[in-house]
Amino acid sequence: MNRLYRTFVVSVESGTLVRAAAALHVTQPTVTRQLQQLEAEFHQPLFERTGGRLVLTRSGEVVYRTAKRLLALDDKLREELNSLANPEAGTVYIGAGVTPAIHLLPGAFAMYRNLHPGVTFHLRTGSSSDVDAMLSAREIDIGIVTTVNPERADLVAKPLYKDDLLLVAPPSHALSTRSAITVSDLQGYPIIVMQAGSGLRRLVEDLLESRGVQLLPALEVDSLEAINRLVQFGFGISFLPRSCVRDDLDAGRLAVIRLMDEPPASRTITMVYRAQGSLPANAERFAEELPRLF
């Protein structure tokens, strides 16, 4: 039908069958035949043929307005489909945890855009479970998570970055001046922790419990960035990912407390995407290059 609609619209706007045939690069009998097919489809005349010119009937005016909208939508659809097949154009939809979104992805986006200026990004933030849900709903192409859902066998998971956990405190804290301590030395010191149920909270609890240290939460917070600021203001010490505190360590706003009896724990920043169904070309190219950018 789109072919008939296009012939009809071009004929109306050209004014004559001769001009319409020239614009469409077909013969005049072909144009006449397609217009007759469209009239047969609707069982109504669409033109009053007067003096060689095409004059629309009332039915023809209705079809013309609708056909213009349908052809515009068809053109838009084709443009969007073409962009999905073009790795150098269109938007890549990303879901990520707040820490990678703030501290790791901006640099990767900037480097990628320098190489592929036609590609743009749409970034949504949330917990690993939120990103998992976005993937299931096909709201994003790629997820960047700290915890991969073990039940999602339908996902491809590619590690990107090992994010070490550091025990940090204000530079003036009593433990900051010591060259190294043991985990047992933390007994009695208030610790700022993520809310219960988070992956980071479980890592901290397991570490302390393995050394018989009772956790004394100074505060429970749902944001690593908020914990960072609270530590700087002396509310307690905390275990935070290196990516979250790197700039503050360099600026002297935080200090690392070294644990001599415990190897550094870490979180792995992982890229995930659906295994079934191909990624758009731009997202596939980005997924290929992202490990190198990280």
Side-chain angles (χ1 to χ4, degrees):
M1 286 293 289
N2 277 357
R3 177 173 55 87
L4 300 183
Y5 286 147
R6 197 169 298 278
T7 298
F8 176 72
V9 168
V10 171
S11 298
V12 171
E13 295 177 350
S14 298
T16 69
L17 296 180
V18 174
R19 292 175 183 169
L24 293 166
H25 305 289
V26 297
T27 64
Q28 182 177 331
T30 299
V31 173
T32 300
R33 184 172 62 253
Q34 290 178 353
L35 294 178
Q36 290 171 344
Q37 290 174 358
L38 194 60
E39 288 180 320
E41 180 72 26
F42 293 119
H43 306 289
Q44 296 186 50
L46 304 178
F47 292 106
E48 295 176 358
R49 293 165 177 83
T50 306
R53 292 192 60 80
L54 300 175
V55 179
L56 288 174
T57 63
R58 292 288 299 276
S59 299
E61 291 174 355
V62 172
V63 173
Y64 174 71
R65 291 195 300 269
T66 304
K68 285 278 285 186
R69 290 197 297 269
L70 291 174
L71 290 174
L73 286 173
D74 183 69
D75 290 342
K76 184 175 185 298
L77 171 62
R78 292 177 187 278
E79 288 176 6
E80 291 186 4
L81 290 176
N82 287 336
S83 70
L84 292 178
N86 183 359
E88 299 297 333
T91 301
V92 181
Y93 292 85
I94 307 287
V98 174
T99 299
I102 292 176
H103 300 286
L104 299 174
L105 283 174
F109 287 163
M111 287 187 286
Y112 194 82
R113 286 267 292 166
N114 284 336
L115 299 172
H116 309 280
V119 175
T120 59
F121 295 95
H122 181 96
L123 176 63
R124 295 178 58 183
T125 60
S127 66
S128 292
S129 58
D130 292 333
V131 172
D132 186 70
M134 293 178 205
L135 279 171
S136 295
R138 296 183 177 272
E139 296 171 353
I140 58 174
D141 301 315
I142 297 169
I144 310 296
V145 299
T146 55
T147 303
V148 179
N149 185 346
E151 299 179 358
R152 292 292 301 272
D154 61 318
L155 295 182
V156 174
K158 294 186 176 181
L160 295 174
Y161 180 78
K162 183 180 178 183
D163 206 2
D164 292 336
L165 295 183
L166 304 178
L167 178 59
V168 295
S172 60
H173 194 278
L175 296 178
S176 300
T177 60
R178 297 169 60 174
S179 58
I181 64 171
T182 65
V183 174
S184 299
D185 292 328
L186 299 179
Q187 185 66 59
Y189 285 97
I191 299 177
I192 305 172
V193 292
M194 284 290 286
Q195 60 189 359
S198 71
L200 180 56
R201 173 68 174 267
R202 288 192 294 271
L203 282 174
V204 173
E205 289 176 340
D206 291 345
L207 170 62
L208 297 180
E209 289 176 3
S210 69
R211 296 295 187 269
V213 176
Q214 181 181 3
L215 177 63
L216 296 176
L219 284 169
E220 292 188 7
V221 187
D222 63 357
S223 163
L224 294 178
E225 285 62 42
I227 293 176
N228 183 326
R229 294 288 289 170
L230 288 165
V231 172
Q232 291 182 41
F233 280 93
F235 280 84
I237 59 178
S238 187
F239 288 88
L240 289 173
R242 182 185 299 276
S243 63
C244 181
V245 298
R246 183 168 45 205
D247 292 343
D248 297 297
L249 292 172
D250 292 342
R253 291 184 291 268
L254 290 173
V256 174
I257 301 172
R258 304 191 183 280
L259 297 174
M260 67 176 68
D261 62 338
E262 187 66 30
S266 64
R267 304 189 309 171
T268 300
I269 307 297
T270 303
M271 172 175 59
V272 291
Y273 52 86
R274 294 180 299 275
Q276 298 298 321
S278 60
L279 286 170
N282 53 12
E284 183 175 9
R285 173 72 60 78
F286 180 69
E288 290 173 356
E289 297 192 21
L290 188 57
R292 178 179 60 81
L293 297 176
F294 263 60

